[in-house]
Amino acid sequence: MEVKFSIRRYDPESSNAVSHFQEYQLDLNDSSTVLDGLIEIREEIDGTLSLRCSCRSAICGSCAMRINGQAGLACNTKVIDVLPKDGSPIIVEPAGNLPLIKDLIVDFAPFWSKVNAVDPWLKPEGEEPEEEYLAPNEDMLHLAGVMSCIMCGACVSDCTVLAVDENFLGPAALAKAYRFVGDPRDDDDDNRLKMLNGNNGIWDCTRCMQCVEVCPKGVDPMGRIMALRDKAMTAGYNNTNGARHAKAFSDSVKHSGWLDELQLPIKSFGIFNIKAMIGLIPLGIRAQLNGKRPPIFHKSIPGADKVRKIFDKVENKI
Amino acid sequence: MKYAFYPGCVSRGACPELYTATLKVCEILGIELDESVLEGASCTGAGVLQEKNERLGDTLNARTFAMAEKSGLPLMTICSTCQGVMAQANERLTADPDYRESINQDLREEGLEYKGTIDPKHLLWVIVEDLGIDVLKSKIVRTLDGLKLAPFYGCYIVRPSKALGLIDNPNRKQALEEVIEAVGGVVADFPGKTLCCGFPLLTINPENSLKMVSRHTLDAKESGADAMVTPCPLCHLNLDGYQPKAASSIKQDIDLPIIHLPQLVGLALGIKPEEMRLNKHIVSTKKLLSELAVTP
C-alpha cells in the first residue's frame, strides 16, 4: 500500500537549523510497522534521517516517538492502524518534553537524572542473608506491571504536567519509585515517601491519564502515583495541599453525599494559610457577582446517611 | 428517549448554568430526563476518592448504577469527569462478576443490586449516537454561521480510551467537532484539545494549573477561535474562572469565552442566552453574542 509520512526534521548543524516537516512516500505491506517505514526511508530514500532503534520487538525501548501526535513505540505501531483514511500522511515527530538533538532523537539526560533521583535500587536493612533475599510470590505480583517498564519515555513525552513544568519528577521516575516502595524487600519506605511527598513529586500529577494511555507495556504510571499518594498519607505525610484536598473531598462526600465546592479550596490550602486565602478573594468576588458561588449552606443529598453507611462498611476494607 | 439523569455535583454547585442549559436543550431535543430515579445518588468520587480507596468509589458508583438499572432507564451524565470515573468503575464491575458480587454485598442492605447492564453515556454521545446529528440539525432555528469554535474535550471523556468505549466507537473522538459543525460553526483546531485543563492542580500547584489555562486558551485563540466549547464543567471552571488570573500571570489579554456544550446547542435551538445564564460567565460572552446578533 502507498503510505505517506510527514516527518519532523531538525539538524542543529545545518546552516538553517529550523524544525520543519518533510514528506516521504513509499510502498509498504499491511503488516509493516512505522519503524519499518522509517528504516526504509533511511536506507532507500534519505540517509540523513536520524532515529534511534534497536530490537524492533518492543523490548529495548529505543524508538519512542510521537505518531499522529501521540507517543508510542514505532516498532509496535502498525502503519495500517495509524494511516489516516483521508489520504493525509502519518505524522511522525520526536518524543516531547525532552531536549531535541536531531530529527527523531531526543536527549534522555533529564529522563535518567529523574530516575536516579528516586534511588532506583533496593535498600534492605539488617543482616545480609546467606543467599538471595526472598520475597513471597504474592507480595511481588502487584509489581509485575511496573517492572515491565522498558524506560522508553513515552509517558514522559506526553505528560501534561512536564509540558508546563520541567522540574516535575514525571511518570516514569515515579512509577520506578513505586517499584521500590512496594517491594517487600526494601526497608527505606519512609525516606522514599518523604522525598516523593515533597515538591515536584507525587502531588504534582494532574491525573490526566496520558501516561496510562500511551504506555506500551501496561505500566500504569498514574495508578502507581495514586498508590504512592495513598501510602504517603497512610504513613502520616498529611501536610500537603494534596493530602488535605483528598481528605476534605472524602469527608464532604461521606457526610453529605456530594461535594462541598465552597469548602474544598479553603480546606485544601488550609484556613490558616493567609496568603492563599487572600488569593482566593478575587475569584470569590467574581463568582459571587456572576451567580457562580457554590451554596454557602451545603445541603446533604436525600438519604445521605446511606452513603455514610457505605463509607463505614468499605473504608477499612482492602 | 428517556434517561436516568445524573447531573453531578458541579452543575448543582459552581456551574448552575450547565444544569439549566441542559434541561432546556433536552426538552427541545425530545430527550426526557428523569432525575428522581437517581434521588440520593452520591458523588462519583471524581477520581479523588479513588486515590485513597478504589473499592469505596466502585461501591458508590455501583449504587448509582443499581438505581438506574432498577428504573429500567439508560444513564446520562453531563460532566466528563463523572463520565470518566463512572466508565472506569463500570469496566471493573462488569469485567469481573465475583468483584461485582462482593460490592453488591454492601448494597443489599438498601435493597440494591447492580447486575452490570448500565452503560453511562455523556450528553455529547447521547446527541451524536442516540439522537443523531440529523435530528439535531432538524431542530436548529438559528445556525451559528461562521462562528469559530475550539473544541476542548479535556481528559476524562477521552481517556482511558478503552473504558470510555473510544475503541469500539471511534467517532467519539470527533463528537464535539460534529456538534460544532452541525450548529453551523467552524472548528478551530488546536493542539491541546484533549489535554488537561489544569483543574486537578488548582489547589495543589496553582502555578502549573494557570500555565495550562493560558497555554490552551492562547493556542485556541491563535487558531482563530471566537470561543471554546467543552463537555466538562471542571474544565469550564478552570478555563473560565481562572482565565483572568492566568492572563495577568503572563501579562497578556486572553478574553476567550468558554461555553458549555448544551449552551452551544441551545443557542442554535433558539434559546435565549440569559435563559442559559450565558451572561453569568466570568469571561464575558457579550462580544461573542453580539457577533451572533443575539442580545445576552
Side-chain angles (χ1 to χ4, degrees), chain B residues 16 52 72 81 91-92 110 115 130 142 161 202 205 208 211 231 250 264 283:
Chain B
K52 186 82 191 146
T81 305
E91 191 182 38
R92 290 186 286 269
E110 252 191 273
K115 298 190 183 75
D130 297 0
R142 174 176 61 209
S161 55
L202 202 53
N205 190 328
N208 285 352
K211 278 188 205 163
I250 52 164
L264 172 72
V283 178

Side-chain angles (χ1 to χ4, degrees), chain A residues 158 160-161 163-165 168 200 203-213 222 226-227 229-231 233-234 241-242 245-247 249-251 253 257-259 261 264-265 268-269 279-280 283 286-287 289-295 301-303 306-307 309-311 313-318, chain B residues 8-10 12-17 39-43 45-49 51-53 55-56 59-60 63 88 102 105-107 109-110 155-156 158-162 194-196 198-206 208 211-212 215 236-237 240-242 244-245 260 277 279-282:
Chain A
D158 285 13
T160 58
V161 174
V164 295
D165 182 358
F168 177 44
N200 308 315
W203 294 104
D204 274 355
C205 166
T206 190
R207 292 193 283 116
C208 73
M209 286 179 288
Q210 279 278 63
C211 58
V212 183
E213 191 74 18
M222 189 190 106
M226 295 308 114
R229 286 183 180 181
D230 181 27
K231 283 178 184 292
M233 289 187 281
T234 307
N241 288 357
H245 176 263
K247 175 149 194 328
F249 194 108
S250 178
D251 287 349
V253 179
W258 66 306
L259 201 52
E261 290 170 297
L264 202 61
S268 304
F269 287 120
L280 284 172
L283 178 83
R286 282 195 291 268
L289 290 175
N290 288 291
K292 286 173 73 70
R293 173 185 48 70
I301 59 166
K306 289 173 183 143
V307 175
K309 259 189 193 166
I310 288 181
F311 269 78
K313 274 189 222 170
V314 187
E315 254 178 337
N316 297 318
K317 280 187 191 172
I318 302 297
Chain B
C9 302
V10 181
R12 290 175 297 178
C15 286
E17 70 280 4
E39 191 185 80
S42 72
C43 167
V48 180
L49 215 57
E51 279 173 14
K52 186 82 191 146
N53 193 330
R55 190 191 171 91
L56 178 58
T59 311
L60 293 177
R63 181 172 172 268
Q88 289 174 67
S102 76
Q105 280 174 10
D106 288 325
L107 300 179
E109 192 182 322
E110 252 191 273
C155 305
Y156 280 65
V158 290
R159 286 182 298 275
S161 55
K162 189 168 158 281
T194 57
L195 300 182
C196 179
F199 183 86
L201 291 175
L202 202 53
T203 57
I204 297 173
N205 190 328
N208 285 352
K211 278 188 205 163
M212 291 181 185
R215 176 171 293 194
H236 170 90
L237 276 181
D240 177 58
Y242 281 82
K245 203 171 176 183
H260 297 283
R277 298 170 71 103
N279 52 336
K280 295 286 188 185
H281 287 199
I282 303 293

Side-chain angles (χ1 to χ4, degrees), chain B residues 138 144 148 240 283:
Chain B
S138 73
L144 312 180
K148 280 192 116 181
D240 177 58
V283 178

Side-chain angles (χ1 to χ4, degrees), chain A residues 147-307:
Chain A
M147 284 162 84
S148 313
C149 175
I150 54 171
M151 303 267 159
C152 68
C155 58
V156 164
S157 163
D158 285 13
C159 170
T160 58
V161 174
L162 282 169
V164 295
D165 182 358
E166 61 178 12
N167 295 319
F168 177 44
L169 274 172
L174 290 172
K176 183 58 82 184
Y178 175 82
R179 186 248 168 279
F180 292 99
V181 171
D183 193 307
R185 298 165 297 176
D186 191 85
D187 292 309
D188 199 35
D189 284 8
D190 200 54
N191 284 325
R192 290 182 190 277
L193 290 171
K194 193 174 173 185
M195 190 281 264
L196 298 168
N197 192 54
N199 289 344
N200 308 315
I202 48 178
W203 294 104
D204 274 355
C205 166
T206 190
R207 292 193 283 116
C208 73
M209 286 179 288
Q210 279 278 63
C211 58
V212 183
E213 191 74 18
V214 300
C215 175
K217 304 301 273 187
V219 169
D220 183 15
M222 189 190 106
R224 313 299 170 168
I225 298 171
M226 295 308 114
L228 285 171
R229 286 183 180 181
D230 181 27
K231 283 178 184 292
M233 289 187 281
T234 307
Y237 292 108
N238 290 312
N239 193 25
T240 55
N241 288 357
R244 280 189 291 269
H245 176 263
K247 175 149 194 328
F249 194 108
S250 178
D251 287 349
S252 173
V253 179
K254 180 174 182 175
H255 294 292
S256 69
W258 66 306
L259 201 52
D260 184 348
E261 290 170 297
L262 197 67
Q263 289 294 323
L264 202 61
I266 298 172
K267 288 185 175 166
S268 304
F269 287 120
I271 187 100
F272 299 113
N273 182 346
I274 304 299
K275 193 172 160 224
M277 289 305 108
I278 291 170
L280 284 172
I281 291 171
L283 178 83
I285 293 172
R286 282 195 291 268
Q288 178 75 34
L289 290 175
N290 288 291
K292 286 173 73 70
R293 173 185 48 70
I296 288 181
F297 299 106
H298 180 73
K299 254 174 64 186
S300 294
I301 59 166
D305 57 311
K306 289 173 183 143
V307 175

Side-chain angles (χ1 to χ4, degrees), chain B residues 44 54 57 96-97 123 150 179 196 198 207 251 258 260 262 283:
Chain B
T44 63
E54 188 172 271
D96 182 353
L123 171 66
V179 173
C196 179
E207 199 184 321
K251 300 186 175 58
I258 313 293
H260 297 283
V283 178

